[in-house]
Amino acid sequence: MNQQLTRVLLDRGTLNERDLARAELVVQGSGEPIHRILCSLGLVAEEEIANALAQCLSLPLAEAGDYPATALFADRLRADFLRTYRVLPLRDTPHGVVVAMADPFDDETRRALELQLGKPVSAAVAVPAELDRWLEKLYGAAPAETVPTVARGDDLERLREMASDAPVIRRVNQLLERAVAARASDIHLEPQEGGLRLRHRVDGLLRDVDLLQAEDHAAIVSRVKILANLDIVERRLPQDGRCRVHVEGRAIDVRVSCLPTMHGESVVLRLLDKANAPLTLPQLGFSASLGTRLGQVLNANQGIFLVTGPTGSGKTTSLYAMLQQLNDPARKLITVEDPVEYELPGVHQMQVRPRIGLEFANVLRSVLRHDPDVIMVGEIRDLDTAGMAIQAALTGHLVLSTLHTNDAASAVTRLADMGVERYLMTSALRGVMAQRLVRTLCVHCRQPDEGGVAVLRTLDPGLDESADDAPTYRASGCERCGGTGFAGRQAIAELIVIDAPIRDAILSGADAARLSALAQTQGSQSMRRDGLRKVRAGVTSIDEVLRAVGEA
């Protein structure tokens, strides 16, 4: 059927060989049928696909005049069922019921309709956007969790029409392709008085990309909302959603956040490339010595290990790398996340849903009854979650989690501020690692930094100077790195292993400064020193390390 459909589209001139090859590449990676991929990529309009499907399947095409003036079988068919499976009865005949279907291959839904109606059901191919409009006209808007919108009905129809146009679909796909090619982690669409500002976050920093025309704003935002299954006419309240798209044959998970501003809705799309993650600890930039000490902590059968740092410092990515290291058939691993960013084979992953009462602490209570060996908690935010994590650690589980603190030693004072007793910390805590991400120098254009070694000695006189003759480097900029001088990021970290002297200090009420100083006498090194070692290795620059950890 796929070959027959694409041949019809090629013969009609609505599809060319180059676009077909591109779509087939996505089909191989996703398993989705070709007609859905052609629509989602914006290569062929929905109307053309519907026409071609009708011809290939020898089915009628549902025209505007075929839709009924009133809902048929309203007493037997629920509106939510019709919306979910995108079907709508058109007419009741002596030979059976004719039903408009967005997916004419969905025989299971057709058979379900036959059982419910007690009559034969035949399909007519519907244009999905047109079918949705008639479902709303006959059954009203789908229930939403947001408050009722103030937009008029004609606004809804206009936005849907704009968002379903092939040029708009292609435009949004091009925005995604451009961002993926630039290695962007986020796309920012920011309305302002002069137009729609487009920015990418690459290697942790935002950079301007383009200024789009203001009149494109509504269509682009509506298309993004449709992809993320959001309310396209709600413009007064923040909304969050997610979807999966395919870019150049790669599956990309997209988290969408819409925020109302003075000049319209600002939209941020977080891109999670399934092909690029998760990484291993060495790939993340952890040194061999730190990796060895970290491995000793993770080999414990029970206890809590925390990763700390600000938002965007790579904490969750590091936890995923640790889970990969721990993942073997002899262990059961369960994660509780908000949200689940990457799927880990062999790991049972759950997402918290606060709106229905699935908070971290509540989910943890159930997880403990599921016989896990290793539990990852996305974040310890409050005393309830901290208490459940400690209970899990004290009852024979290894718990991995994150905390928002500036350094490793401050994790102890943060837990104390939450209300965790220090004697419980000494019993449960096995280690704390703080980290930041530094951009790595582009190897194609980096330049020797004259005087860099002297600056390093000033910044850290205790740094190993065995390679004084090796140059340090600074960023330059070329086409391959987009003129920034950097390409990619690595972690710099400090690790505190909770040994007997550290436990005694925690129990005696030591503050973060004292704990940090004690940890360094026990073999821990600061994030600053770890970063400066990467400068000596030619991985990053002095300025980049100071940007990440501060001048002090």
Side-chain angles (χ1 to χ4, degrees), residues 189-258:
L189 293 165
E190 303 165 334
Q192 53 189 30
E193 195 169 353
L196 183 62
R197 185 186 189 190
L198 171 64
R199 295 199 288 173
H200 290 165
R201 188 176 294 278
V202 180
D203 295 335
L205 298 181
L206 283 170
R207 59 175 70 166
D208 280 314
V209 177
D210 204 353
L211 185 64
L212 308 178
Q213 295 181 358
E215 50 265 33
D216 293 338
H217 177 244
I220 290 175
V221 172
S222 296
R223 176 60 186 168
V224 170
K225 285 184 173 182
I226 286 175
L227 288 173
N229 198 28
L230 300 177
D231 186 347
I232 65 174
V233 293
E234 176 54 76
R235 305 167 214 168
R236 304 173 301 163
L237 296 174
Q239 295 189 75
D240 296 292
R242 66 186 306 161
C243 61
R244 177 173 292 185
V245 298
H246 294 86
V247 179
E248 301 297 335
R250 295 153 61 185
I252 308 291
D253 276 353
V254 184
R255 297 213 307 263
V256 178
S257 176
C258 300

XYZ file of all heavy atoms in Angstrom, residues 189-258:
554
model
N 11.295 30.982 20.955
C 10.511 31.833 20.058
C 9.906 32.951 20.904
O 8.986 32.713 21.693
C 9.419 31.018 19.367
C 9.899 29.959 18.366
C 8.781 28.991 18.023
C 10.425 30.624 17.098
N 10.430 34.164 20.748
C 10.107 35.260 21.653
C 9.484 36.429 20.892
O 10.169 37.110 20.126
C 11.375 35.729 22.375
C 12.064 34.604 23.129
C 13.486 34.938 23.550
O 14.133 35.782 22.889
O 13.963 34.349 24.530
N 8.184 36.651 21.070
C 7.549 37.777 20.374
C 7.997 39.110 20.967
O 8.134 39.249 22.179
C 6.054 37.540 20.625
C 6.008 36.772 21.905
C 7.246 35.923 21.935
N 8.256 40.055 20.091
C 8.587 41.401 20.521
C 7.989 42.380 19.529
O 7.392 41.984 18.522
C 10.096 41.580 20.654
C 10.895 41.183 19.418
C 12.391 41.169 19.680
O 12.839 40.921 20.789
N 13.164 41.460 18.651
N 8.147 43.657 19.800
C 7.462 44.659 18.991
C 7.859 44.601 17.518
O 7.041 44.820 16.637
C 7.759 46.058 19.553
C 6.820 47.121 19.030
C 6.961 48.420 19.781
O 7.694 48.462 20.783
O 6.323 49.394 19.358
N 9.104 44.259 17.251
C 9.570 44.272 15.869
C 9.436 42.965 15.121
O 9.776 42.880 13.941
N 8.958 41.912 15.778
C 8.833 40.619 15.111
C 8.960 39.480 16.097
O 8.798 39.661 17.314
N 9.267 38.293 15.588
C 9.392 37.086 16.398
C 10.866 36.706 16.464
O 11.456 36.284 15.472
C 8.565 35.950 15.785
C 8.521 34.628 16.553
C 7.896 34.811 17.931
C 7.749 33.567 15.758
N 11.454 36.880 17.634
C 12.883 36.622 17.815
C 13.123 35.129 17.983
O 12.486 34.472 18.806
C 13.389 37.376 19.046
C 14.891 37.299 19.281
C 15.216 37.972 20.611
N 16.630 38.142 20.821
C 17.167 38.525 21.971
N 16.371 38.786 23.012
N 18.471 38.653 22.108
N 14.053 34.583 17.195
C 14.410 33.169 17.257
C 15.811 33.048 17.838
O 16.759 33.635 17.322
C 14.348 32.544 15.864
C 14.892 31.112 15.722
C 14.072 30.133 16.549
C 14.931 30.695 14.258
N 15.908 32.280 18.922
C 17.213 32.048 19.536
C 17.407 30.564 19.807
O 16.442 29.833 20.037
C 17.358 32.829 20.854
C 17.343 34.329 20.669
C 17.931 35.049 21.883
N 17.066 35.004 23.056
C 17.440 35.440 24.258
N 18.651 35.920 24.456
N 16.573 35.394 25.271
N 18.661 30.118 19.774
C 19.034 28.749 20.123
C 19.902 28.771 21.373
O 20.733 29.677 21.533
C 19.841 28.096 18.995
C 19.058 27.800 17.768
N 19.657 27.498 16.555
C 17.719 27.754 17.540
C 18.711 27.290 15.643
N 17.537 27.434 16.227
N 19.713 27.769 22.229
C 20.665 27.558 23.319
C 21.617 26.452 22.887
O 21.208 25.303 22.692
C 19.958 27.180 24.619
C 20.922 27.134 25.820
C 20.207 26.841 27.128
N 19.313 27.913 27.517
C 19.694 29.025 28.134
N 20.979 29.235 28.392
N 18.800 29.942 28.456
N 22.871 26.809 22.722
C 23.890 25.864 22.283
C 25.003 25.841 23.327
O 25.538 26.898 23.699
C 24.468 26.249 20.908
C 25.522 25.241 20.464
C 23.356 26.342 19.869
N 25.333 24.662 23.809
C 26.368 24.512 24.834
C 26.091 25.392 26.047
O 26.995 25.979 26.643
C 27.758 24.820 24.267
C 28.191 23.823 23.204
O 27.692 22.686 23.238
O 28.994 24.189 22.331
N 24.818 25.522 26.381
C 24.430 26.218 27.591
C 24.199 27.706 27.458
O 23.686 28.334 28.387
N 24.556 28.326 26.328
C 24.404 29.767 26.153
C 23.469 30.066 24.991
O 23.483 29.365 23.968
C 25.761 30.431 25.910
C 26.787 30.312 27.043
C 28.075 31.038 26.660
C 26.236 30.865 28.343
N 22.663 31.122 25.132
C 21.742 31.522 24.070
C 22.462 32.324 22.998
O 23.357 33.123 23.296
C 20.594 32.359 24.646
C 19.488 31.584 25.372
C 18.567 32.555 26.100
C 18.686 30.742 24.397
N 22.039 32.115 21.766
C 22.586 32.920 20.665
C 21.440 33.288 19.713
O 20.548 32.483 19.440
C 23.688 32.171 19.926
C 23.251 30.845 19.314
C 24.347 30.176 18.480
N 25.433 29.666 19.292
C 26.352 28.816 18.832
N 26.296 28.389 17.569
N 27.329 28.382 19.622
N 21.461 34.521 19.220
C 20.454 34.974 18.267
C 20.618 34.253 16.940
O 21.742 34.043 16.463
C 20.571 36.488 18.046
C 19.924 37.285 19.168
O 18.794 36.946 19.549
O 20.555 38.232 19.668
N 19.500 33.871 16.345
C 19.522 33.157 15.070
C 18.843 33.966 13.970
O 19.380 34.138 12.888
C 18.845 31.773 15.197
C 18.801 31.060 13.850
C 19.567 30.924 16.230
N 17.639 34.492 14.265
C 16.876 35.159 13.214
C 15.793 36.017 13.860
O 15.463 35.857 15.036
C 16.233 34.113 12.286
C 15.919 34.660 10.900
O 16.066 35.886 10.698
O 15.540 33.851 10.031
N 15.253 36.943 13.070
C 14.085 37.721 13.471
C 13.000 37.440 12.440
O 13.078 37.886 11.294
C 14.406 39.218 13.520
C 13.274 40.116 14.045
C 12.973 39.786 15.504
C 13.636 41.585 13.901
N 11.991 36.652 12.845
C 10.925 36.252 11.944
C 9.855 37.336 11.890
O 9.750 38.185 12.781
C 10.312 34.930 12.412
C 11.288 33.782 12.675
C 10.544 32.556 13.167
C 12.106 33.450 11.438
N 9.050 37.306 10.855
C 7.995 38.297 10.707
C 6.917 38.088 11.768
O 6.552 36.965 12.106
C 7.377 38.204 9.318
C 8.339 38.553 8.190
C 7.675 38.480 6.832
O 6.503 38.142 6.722
N 8.424 38.812 5.792
N 6.408 39.202 12.281
C 5.409 39.142 13.355
C 4.161 38.389 12.921
O 3.528 37.690 13.734
C 5.053 40.554 13.805
N 3.796 38.488 11.645
C 2.575 37.831 11.182
C 2.710 36.302 11.146
O 1.717 35.584 11.008
C 2.166 38.332 9.798
C 3.269 38.333 8.767
C 3.966 39.687 8.669
O 4.075 40.388 9.698
O 4.388 40.037 7.557
N 3.937 35.790 11.258
C 4.133 34.334 11.302
C 3.893 33.758 12.696
O 3.797 32.544 12.860
C 5.563 33.982 10.861
C 5.808 34.280 9.393
O 4.818 34.345 8.644
O 6.972 34.446 9.005
N 3.815 34.631 13.685
C 3.788 34.183 15.079
C 2.618 33.251 15.369
O 2.794 32.138 15.897
C 3.753 35.402 16.004
C 3.662 35.043 17.452
N 2.581 35.374 18.239
C 4.500 34.355 18.272
C 2.772 34.934 19.464
N 3.932 34.317 19.523
N 1.393 33.664 15.033
C 0.207 32.879 15.379
C 0.235 31.503 14.727
O -0.078 30.492 15.366
C -1.062 33.630 14.983
N 0.611 31.446 13.446
C 0.613 30.171 12.735
C 1.670 29.220 13.297
O 1.410 28.025 13.502
C 0.858 30.408 11.248
N 2.874 29.737 13.573
C 3.950 28.886 14.084
C 3.608 28.362 15.473
O 3.759 27.168 15.764
C 5.283 29.665 14.098
C 5.766 29.899 12.660
C 6.342 28.910 14.894
C 6.998 30.766 12.555
N 3.131 29.249 16.347
C 2.780 28.829 17.704
C 1.632 27.825 17.673
O 1.635 26.828 18.411
C 2.425 30.043 18.579
C 1.867 29.594 19.929
C 3.655 30.916 18.790
N 0.645 28.038 16.815
C -0.477 27.101 16.725
C -0.016 25.731 16.259
O -0.475 24.697 16.767
C -1.546 27.654 15.770
O -2.108 28.842 16.271
N 0.890 25.708 15.301
C 1.415 24.426 14.821
C 2.159 23.692 15.936
O 1.980 22.477 16.134
C 2.354 24.647 13.629
C 3.024 23.381 13.117
C 2.014 22.347 12.654
N 2.630 21.088 12.291
C 1.963 19.963 12.076
N 0.646 19.948 12.178
N 2.592 18.861 11.753
N 2.981 24.423 16.695
C 3.711 23.808 17.809
C 2.732 23.264 18.850
O 2.909 22.165 19.381
C 4.668 24.830 18.437
C 5.258 24.289 19.743
C 5.792 25.187 17.470
N 1.668 24.029 19.119
C 0.683 23.582 20.107
C -0.042 22.322 19.645
O -0.337 21.419 20.444
C -0.330 24.691 20.381
C 0.197 25.825 21.249
C -0.919 26.815 21.526
C -0.502 27.862 22.525
N -1.607 28.808 22.831
N -0.358 22.252 18.367
C -1.015 21.058 17.845
C -0.106 19.843 18.010
O -0.540 18.764 18.424
C -1.425 21.272 16.379
C -2.642 22.204 16.298
C -1.736 19.942 15.700
C -3.054 22.563 14.892
N 1.185 20.006 17.696
C 2.133 18.907 17.857
C 2.188 18.432 19.306
O 2.285 17.237 19.579
C 3.529 19.342 17.397
C 3.747 19.526 15.897
C 5.124 20.124 15.632
C 3.612 18.186 15.164
N 2.118 19.387 20.248
C 2.253 19.061 21.675
C 0.916 18.790 22.342
O 0.856 18.643 23.563
C 2.981 20.189 22.394
N -0.171 18.754 21.543
C -1.512 18.467 22.064
C -1.940 19.490 23.120
O -2.484 19.140 24.169
C -1.569 17.049 22.646
C -2.994 16.545 22.804
O -3.889 16.958 22.057
N -3.212 15.671 23.765
N -1.711 20.772 22.827
C -2.100 21.854 23.721
C -3.316 22.580 23.161
O -3.672 22.421 21.992
C -0.934 22.840 23.903
C 0.347 22.275 24.502
C 1.426 23.347 24.544
C 0.098 21.715 25.884
N -3.938 23.392 23.989
C -5.094 24.193 23.584
C -4.601 25.356 22.728
O -3.935 26.268 23.231
C -5.809 24.706 24.830
C -7.110 25.438 24.506
O -7.331 25.759 23.326
O -7.891 25.692 25.432
N -4.949 25.364 21.453
C -4.364 26.351 20.547
C -4.967 27.739 20.708
O -4.372 28.723 20.244
C -4.468 25.903 19.067
C -5.913 25.828 18.610
C -3.738 24.601 18.844
C -6.057 25.538 17.118
N -6.121 27.862 21.339
C -6.721 29.184 21.501
C -6.549 29.759 22.900
O -6.937 30.896 23.146
C -8.217 29.176 21.125
C -8.390 28.928 19.651
C -8.977 28.148 21.956
N -5.964 28.987 23.813
C -5.695 29.519 25.158
C -4.377 30.299 25.121
O -3.310 29.728 24.934
C -5.606 28.378 26.173
C -5.232 28.845 27.580
C -6.157 29.918 28.085
O -7.294 29.578 28.472
O -5.752 31.102 28.076
N -4.488 31.623 25.276
C -3.298 32.470 25.199
C -3.063 33.230 26.488
O -2.134 34.026 26.583
C -3.434 33.476 24.055
C -3.711 32.824 22.710
C -4.143 33.844 21.674
N -5.114 33.257 20.763
C -5.835 33.964 19.908
N -5.703 35.263 19.858
N -6.709 33.374 19.113
N -3.902 33.000 27.508
C -3.778 33.762 28.751
C -3.048 33.014 29.840
O -2.548 33.620 30.783
C -5.174 34.143 29.276
C -6.035 34.915 28.300
C -7.442 35.076 28.868
N -8.040 33.770 29.130
C -9.098 33.583 29.919
N -9.659 34.615 30.514
N -9.590 32.368 30.107
N -2.965 31.690 29.742
C -2.370 30.870 30.782
C -1.154 30.121 30.247
O -1.112 29.753 29.069
C -3.384 29.846 31.303
C -4.628 30.411 31.996
C -5.595 29.289 32.313
C -4.245 31.153 33.260
N -0.172 29.859 31.098
C 0.965 29.019 30.669
C 0.490 27.604 30.361
O -0.449 27.102 30.988
C 1.897 29.039 31.883
C 1.479 30.223 32.687
C 0.001 30.387 32.459
N 1.136 26.966 29.403
C 0.825 25.584 29.059
C 2.118 24.813 28.841
O 3.124 25.387 28.392
C -0.013 25.497 27.773
C -1.395 26.105 27.859
C -2.209 25.772 26.623
O -2.694 24.657 26.440
N -2.374 26.754 25.747
N 2.096 23.531 29.141
C 3.245 22.658 28.932
C 2.781 21.373 28.264
O 1.724 20.838 28.599
C 3.936 22.320 30.257
C 4.529 23.549 30.927
O 5.493 24.099 30.382
O 4.012 23.957 31.980
N 3.580 20.885 27.340
C 3.261 19.641 26.654
C 4.521 19.020 26.095
O 5.637 19.531 26.272
N 4.350 17.941 25.393
C 5.503 17.268 24.787
C 5.046 16.495 23.567
O 3.861 16.181 23.399
C 6.209 16.365 25.784
C 5.419 15.172 26.277
C 6.168 14.445 27.380
N 7.512 14.071 26.963
C 8.477 13.768 27.823
N 8.264 13.822 29.122
N 9.675 13.401 27.384
N 5.991 16.187 22.696
C 5.704 15.406 21.495
C 7.003 14.772 21.035
O 8.089 15.063 21.557
C 5.099 16.288 20.395
S 6.173 17.630 19.838
N 6.892 13.910 20.050
C 8.074 13.315 19.423
C 8.022 13.621 17.938
O 6.992 13.421 17.292
C 8.134 11.809 19.651
C 9.323 11.136 18.954
C 9.460 9.674 19.327
N 9.835 9.521 20.720
C 10.110 8.331 21.285
N 10.043 7.227 20.560
N 10.442 8.254 22.558
N 9.123 14.136 17.413
C 9.220 14.435 15.991
C 10.415 13.682 15.423
O 11.255 13.165 16.163
C 9.379 15.960 15.743
C 8.170 16.722 16.251
C 10.657 16.493 16.372
N 10.482 13.634 14.108
C 11.594 12.972 13.438
C 12.287 13.982 12.536
O 11.662 14.593 11.675
C 11.108 11.762 12.630
C 10.554 10.672 13.487
N 9.229 10.656 13.906
C 11.149 9.586 14.051
C 9.032 9.589 14.662
N 10.167 8.926 14.763
N 13.563 14.158 12.772
C 14.359 15.124 12.019
C 15.532 14.380 11.392
O 16.364 13.801 12.107
C 14.873 16.259 12.926
C 15.725 17.235 12.129
C 13.707 16.981 13.586
N 15.572 14.389 10.069
C 16.624 13.693 9.335
C 16.777 12.243 9.796
O 17.885 11.729 9.960
C 17.959 14.434 9.482
C 17.951 15.871 8.986
C 17.682 15.968 7.482
O 17.965 14.981 6.774
O 17.191 17.013 7.026
N 15.644 11.586 10.021
C 15.668 10.183 10.399
C 15.948 9.925 11.864
O 16.043 8.774 12.284
N 16.070 10.986 12.681
C 16.371 10.828 14.106
C 15.144 11.188 14.928
O 14.455 12.166 14.640
C 17.540 11.738 14.506
C 18.841 11.348 13.836
C 19.773 12.536 13.699
N 20.156 13.114 14.978
C 20.890 14.221 15.076
N 21.282 14.865 13.980
N 21.225 14.687 16.259
N 14.874 10.385 15.965
C 13.741 10.650 16.841
C 14.152 11.702 17.871
O 15.130 11.525 18.599
C 13.297 9.371 17.540
N 13.391 12.795 17.934
C 13.671 13.885 18.861
C 12.448 14.071 19.755
O 11.345 14.305 19.263
C 13.962 15.212 18.124
C 15.057 15.036 17.058
C 14.323 16.310 19.118
C 16.427 14.784 17.597
N 12.637 13.941 21.065
C 11.571 14.274 22.009
C 11.607 15.776 22.254
O 12.676 16.347 22.499
C 11.758 13.531 23.331
C 11.189 12.121 23.276
O 10.551 11.791 22.263
O 11.387 11.356 24.235
N 10.442 16.404 22.198
C 10.346 17.858 22.341
C 9.448 18.179 23.530
O 8.299 17.733 23.580
C 9.786 18.517 21.068
C 9.780 20.038 21.211
C 10.594 18.111 19.842
N 9.974 18.925 24.495
C 9.158 19.443 25.588
C 8.833 20.893 25.270
O 9.722 21.704 25.013
C 9.903 19.340 26.923
C 10.195 17.909 27.322
C 10.174 17.715 28.824
N 11.036 18.634 29.534
C 12.266 18.352 29.941
N 12.782 17.176 29.663
N 12.973 19.239 30.597
N 7.546 21.212 25.285
C 7.069 22.530 24.862
C 6.528 23.290 26.057
O 5.747 22.748 26.844
C 5.972 22.391 23.779
C 5.447 23.769 23.379
C 6.514 21.656 22.559
N 6.952 24.549 26.180
C 6.445 25.419 27.238
C 5.991 26.735 26.611
O 6.767 27.379 25.895
C 7.528 25.684 28.286
O 7.067 26.604 29.260
N 4.735 27.115 26.854
C 4.174 28.365 26.331
C 3.913 29.309 27.507
O 3.335 28.904 28.514
C 2.868 28.114 25.576
S 3.028 27.014 24.161
